[in-house]
Amino acid sequence: MMITPCNLKMVKVVAGSINDLIGHLTPTSEYYPTDEYLFAFLLSCRQFVDPVDVLKQVVERCQIEQSNPDLPEQATVAPHLLLFILQWTETFPNDFNKPALMEKLHEARRFCERLDPSCSRGCNRLIQMLDNRLADVKLRKKIPKADSWEDVNFVRDIKPDLVAAQVTHIELDFLNNISCDELVSMLKKDVVKGDYCKNVEKYVNWFNHLSHFVASEVLAPELGGARHLTMEYYMDVAVHCFSFGNFNSAMAILAGLNQSSITRLHKLRDKLDKGRVEHLCTLENQMSPSENFKTYRSAIKRSQEQHTCVIPFFTLLVKDIHTTCENKRKPRSRVPS
């Protein structure tokens, strides 16, 4: 089947060379890529090619298209190219923190303004909106990490379900700052994680801090004989987190309660309420890593049917994404879209 602008939207892209995929991405005076393809390509391409080169090739192809003598006199690629850049800046604004990509963006803007002076207003608005998004991204990166828990004071007279709810809100705040392109870029072997993946690092640090905090609370020397009550309290918090669909915090609390400094205290375990111990054992079985977290994966599927918002165990999520990407690279020489 010959690919033409008329039937290009009918084609379902599964794989292809970089050049072919960029050709399918490039807008013309008559053709514009689907939103699904545009998102999928811009998200996955960064594993194989620099986004700067992608925009460069798109602009060059548009320039070649516009110089075609067979193109109708009134036809222009400018509106579609401007729309393409607008969607890119809305979906993945982080990309435009690179000066080289911003340079290519301004080059594309000048090209559009030469073709159609009426695009000037839209170009200026695009740049202003992008500046606002980049400022917002920069502000989010300045959110302080949870480096210290000295001022945190969880007391046992606060209901465990309220603590679990608040912890879930904190998890959602961390997740909201992580963009999908940051997750994909993190999988690249040569990425400077400290520079680009700060939000991911903050989320991982949160998990570690929560785990160590729970262990520290249980082992606080001033508790003395009341340690079993504190442990029971955080067991309840973990169970509530699980029931809320917050699997990441549930796993963090379990990790804290199962640190060797706590598990070695056999007398402490003997004092625990039997009913709570049974609930904890059930939770541990649900989060068990056996058979590649089989029971956890079943639990998260059930939770997705019950809750509008589910927070997965983040470390396992990243591992699954990495495994999926590696498996897709092995069987084929062409780039998956």
Side-chain angles (χ1 to χ4, degrees), residues 182-209:
E182 186 175 350
L183 277 175
V184 173
S185 296
M186 183 187 62
L187 302 177
K188 293 175 63 177
K189 294 180 181 180
D190 58 342
V191 69
V192 183
K193 294 184 180 180
D195 180 54
Y196 194 83
C197 302
K198 290 183 178 179
N199 292 319
V200 172
E201 290 183 356
K202 287 178 183 178
Y203 194 31
V204 173
N205 287 338
W206 152 258
F207 180 95
N208 294 332
H209 279 299

Side-chain angles (χ1 to χ4, degrees), residues 26 72 176 248 280:
T26 304
N176 185 54
N248 199 59
L280 182 65

Side-chain angles (χ1 to χ4, degrees), residues 34-146:
T34 62
D35 293 343
E36 292 80 6
Y37 178 76
L38 194 149
F39 175 84
F41 181 85
L42 291 179
L43 176 61
S44 60
C45 74
R46 59 198 71 238
Q47 297 182 74
F48 309 94
V49 61
D50 194 319
V52 177
D53 294 328
V54 173
L55 184 56
K56 177 183 177 182
Q57 291 191 45
V58 168
V59 174
E60 288 176 350
R61 289 170 182 262
C62 287
Q63 290 172 340
I64 294 173
E65 159 77 12
Q66 193 62 42
S67 62
N68 186 352
D70 297 331
L71 194 69
E73 184 177 350
Q74 300 298 326
T76 174
V77 73
H80 279 174
L81 178 58
L82 187 61
L83 178 60
F84 168 78
I85 296 174
L86 176 63
Q87 284 193 260
W88 189 342
T89 58
E90 287 179 341
T91 311
F92 304 113
N94 269 326
D95 291 343
F96 294 88
N97 275 315
K98 295 182 178 180
L101 193 58
M102 282 299 295
E103 182 180 340
K104 291 298 174 186
L105 184 148
H106 288 298
E107 180 183 326
R109 184 196 67 176
R110 290 191 293 269
F111 173 65
C112 290
E113 289 175 342
R114 285 198 304 270
L115 290 180
D116 186 357
S118 64
C119 289
S120 178
R121 183 177 179 182
C123 290
N124 292 334
R125 185 181 178 189
L126 185 152
I127 297 298
Q128 184 179 1
M129 292 170 64
L130 176 59
D131 288 341
N132 293 336
R133 291 192 185 94
L134 292 178
D136 183 56
V137 170
K138 188 176 181 180
L139 180 63
R140 289 181 178 183
K141 288 184 178 180
K142 287 184 177 180
I143 296 175
K145 296 185 291 184

Side-chain angles (χ1 to χ4, degrees), residues 145-216:
K145 296 185 291 184
D147 287 331
S148 174
W149 292 73
E150 295 177 357
D151 298 328
V152 180
N153 183 23
F154 284 158
V155 289
R156 282 187 278 112
D157 57 352
I158 301 176
K159 292 182 179 180
D161 59 332
L162 295 180
V163 175
Q166 186 59 43
V167 168
T168 301
H169 283 298
I170 295 173
E171 291 269 357
L172 291 172
D173 189 50
F174 276 108
L175 277 175
N176 185 54
N177 292 333
I178 300 175
S179 58
C180 52
D181 54 314
E182 186 175 350
L183 277 175
V184 173
S185 296
M186 183 187 62
L187 302 177
K188 293 175 63 177
K189 294 180 181 180
D190 58 342
V191 69
V192 183
K193 294 184 180 180
D195 180 54
Y196 194 83
C197 302
K198 290 183 178 179
N199 292 319
V200 172
E201 290 183 356
K202 287 178 183 178
Y203 194 31
V204 173
N205 287 338
W206 152 258
F207 180 95
N208 294 332
H209 279 299
L210 179 58
S211 177
H212 291 305
F213 174 75
V214 169
S216 299

Side-chain angles (χ1 to χ4, degrees), residues 206-233:
W206 152 258
F207 180 95
N208 294 332
H209 279 299
L210 179 58
S211 177
H212 291 305
F213 174 75
V214 169
S216 299
E217 284 284 285
V218 174
L219 296 172
E222 63 271 14
L223 290 176
R227 282 179 179 155
H228 68 287
L229 298 177
T230 303
M231 188 167 180
E232 289 175 353
Y233 177 80

